[in-house]
Amino acid sequence: MEIVSQVVQSGVSSYAHTKGFAETEVLKDIKKHLNIMSSEYYSGNDPNINYQDPLCRLGYLHRYAPAHATLFEHVLRDSDEISLRKLYADRWVLNICAVGGGPGTELLGIAKYLVPRVQWMPRKIGFTVLDKVPHWSADWQHLADVIENYFYSSLEGSGMQPPTFAPSFLPFDVFNEEQYGSHAYHFHQADIVIFNYLFSENKTRLSDAYNVVNRLAELASPDCTFVVIDRQEKAGTFTSDVVELFRSVFGEKVKGVTYNGTLDPDEEKSNMGELLETLGPPHLQFEAFWLVAKVNG
C-alpha cells in the first residue's frame, strides 16, 4: 500500500500542478471516477471505464492495485504448479508478460514475494505489459521505477544486489490474435504469461480469447507458465467458461482454485496516508479464482 500510495499521491500532485488545480479538487474528481467505476463493475455488462482519463487511472490504482498484487503474490506462494526459483534457475533472469496488464500491478506481487526470499533474487526482471490503452504506459513506468527503488532500499545492507529492471509496454488490442506474431520474441522469452482480471472486463470477447490463448501457447517457450486470476462469480457460467477455455488449450489437468481472502496482515489502511480521507480504503477483501497452466505441462 505504501508503494501504491506514493505513486497515486505523486500523480495527484503532478496533475494539480500541471492543470493549476488544488489537490483537494483533483481528489474529489478521482472519487467521482471511483463511484462510476464501481457501478460499472456491478452492472452485469462489460464495464465501460474511461481509462484514457489520468484521474480514472489513479483511482483504479488506489482502489484495486493492492488486492490484485496480493492475489498474484498468493498464487506464487501457494500454487503447486509454479516455482519462480525453478523458472529462472539456469539464467537468473525472470521474464513476465502481463496481457491486458494496464499499470502492471503484478510487479508489486513479484516484489512482495521476492524481497523476503533474497536467496532467490534474479539478477534481472523483464516485465512487458500489453494493453490497448496506451495511456497506461506512463503509469506503468512510474510504478516500475518506484518498485525498483523499493528493491534497492529493501536489500541495502543485505549483501545482495537488487535486480535490474527492463520494463516495456506494447500498446495493442490483446484480443486481436493477428497482433501477436509481430511481437513473438517477447512471448518466446516469457517465463510467466498472466491474465489478471482481464476476462471479467471482457466477457463478450471470450470467444476471441480462445484464439489468443492458443496463439500465445504456440509462441511461448515449452517451459512457460500461464496464470489467470479473476473474479469469482457465483451467478452465471463465467468462471467455468474461463477454466474450460484453458482446458481446451492446455488439457484437462487445468483446474480453477477458489480464493477468498483479505490483504496480508502487514498491510495497513493507514499506509495509504491522506488518500484515505477522500478516496476511501482500497479493496481489502476479494472473492477470486486462479488457475495455472503450463505449455509443457
Side-chain angles (χ1 to χ4, degrees):
M1 286 195 189
E2 291 179 3
I3 290 175
V4 173
S5 175
Q6 181 179 343
V7 172
V8 173
Q9 187 59 66
S10 175
V12 169
S13 299
S14 176
Y15 186 91
H17 176 75
T18 301
K19 299 292 185 180
F21 297 153
E23 290 189 14
T24 53
E25 295 302 313
V26 174
L27 288 169
K28 288 179 181 178
D29 285 342
I30 293 176
K31 180 64 174 179
K32 292 177 183 177
H33 281 287
L34 284 172
N35 291 336
I36 295 172
M37 202 179 299
S38 180
S39 63
E40 284 290 329
Y41 279 134
Y42 289 102
S43 68
N45 303 313
D46 284 1
N48 182 19
I49 300 173
N50 186 17
Y51 290 127
Q52 289 80 8
D53 191 307
L55 301 188
C56 179
R57 299 196 302 276
L58 289 174
Y60 179 91
L61 278 167
H62 171 83
R63 178 69 57 83
Y64 299 106
H68 289 186
T70 296
L71 280 164
F72 188 41
E73 184 228 345
H74 284 193
V75 172
L76 295 175
R77 187 187 67 195
D78 298 339
S79 172
D80 294 331
E81 296 92 350
I82 187 170
S83 167
L84 285 190
R85 192 175 187 181
K86 290 181 181 178
L87 281 176
Y88 52 79
D90 294 333
R91 51 197 170 83
W92 291 97
V93 177
L94 176 63
N95 288 312
I96 311 289
C97 182
V99 182
T105 51
E106 298 77 23
L107 186 56
L108 276 171
I110 290 281
K112 189 166 186 181
Y113 181 83
L114 284 176
V115 165
R117 300 169 174 86
V118 293
Q119 71 275 19
W120 296 3
M121 196 68 65
R123 64 176 179 82
K124 180 180 179 181
I125 297 177
F127 201 112
T128 300
V129 173
L130 285 64
D131 203 286
K132 70 176 181 180
V133 180
H135 310 74
W136 275 123
S137 61
D139 303 275
W140 157 231
Q141 184 64 61
H142 189 179
L143 185 67
D145 288 345
V146 174
I147 294 174
E148 186 173 13
N149 291 334
Y150 167 72
F151 270 102
Y152 272 88
S153 61
S154 298
L155 297 178
E156 188 175 3
S158 69
M160 296 292 296
Q161 288 294 319
T164 59
F165 279 72
S168 60
F169 188 96
L170 302 178
F172 66 82
D173 180 0
V174 298
F175 285 95
N176 184 348
E177 174 196 357
E178 297 177 357
Q179 297 284 324
Y180 287 87
S182 301
H183 306 283
Y185 180 79
H186 289 274
F187 310 117
H188 186 68
Q189 295 297 310
D191 297 299
I192 298 175
V193 174
I194 182 166
F195 308 81
N196 199 346
Y197 280 80
L198 172 67
F199 298 120
S200 58
E201 291 198 20
N202 296 275
K203 295 178 184 176
T204 59
R205 303 190 70 182
L206 283 183
S207 58
D208 298 324
Y210 169 81
N211 293 330
V212 166
V213 173
N214 193 55
R215 180 63 172 141
L216 280 170
E218 293 173 349
L219 293 171
S221 75
D223 298 320
C224 184
T225 300
F226 283 60
V227 177
V228 175
I229 303 171
D230 219 314
R231 188 173 291 109
Q232 175 74 29
E233 297 192 0
K234 298 176 181 177
T237 62
F238 167 71
T239 301
S240 59
D241 288 346
V242 174
V243 174
E244 286 302 318
L245 186 159
F246 277 79
R247 282 180 176 168
S248 66
V249 176
F250 296 99
E252 291 298 317
K253 289 191 292 184
V254 174
K255 63 179 181 178
V257 178
T258 300
Y259 198 96
N260 299 330
T262 62
L263 293 189
D264 295 334
D266 62 339
E267 297 285 358
E268 298 286 346
K269 288 190 296 183
S270 59
N271 290 338
M272 300 303 287
E274 298 177 356
L275 298 173
L276 279 175
E277 184 175 347
T278 305
L279 303 184
H283 271 195
L284 303 175
Q285 297 180 310
F286 34 78
E287 293 185 9
F289 78 93
W290 52 265
L291 64 83
V292 175
K294 298 185 75 68
V295 172
N296 191 16

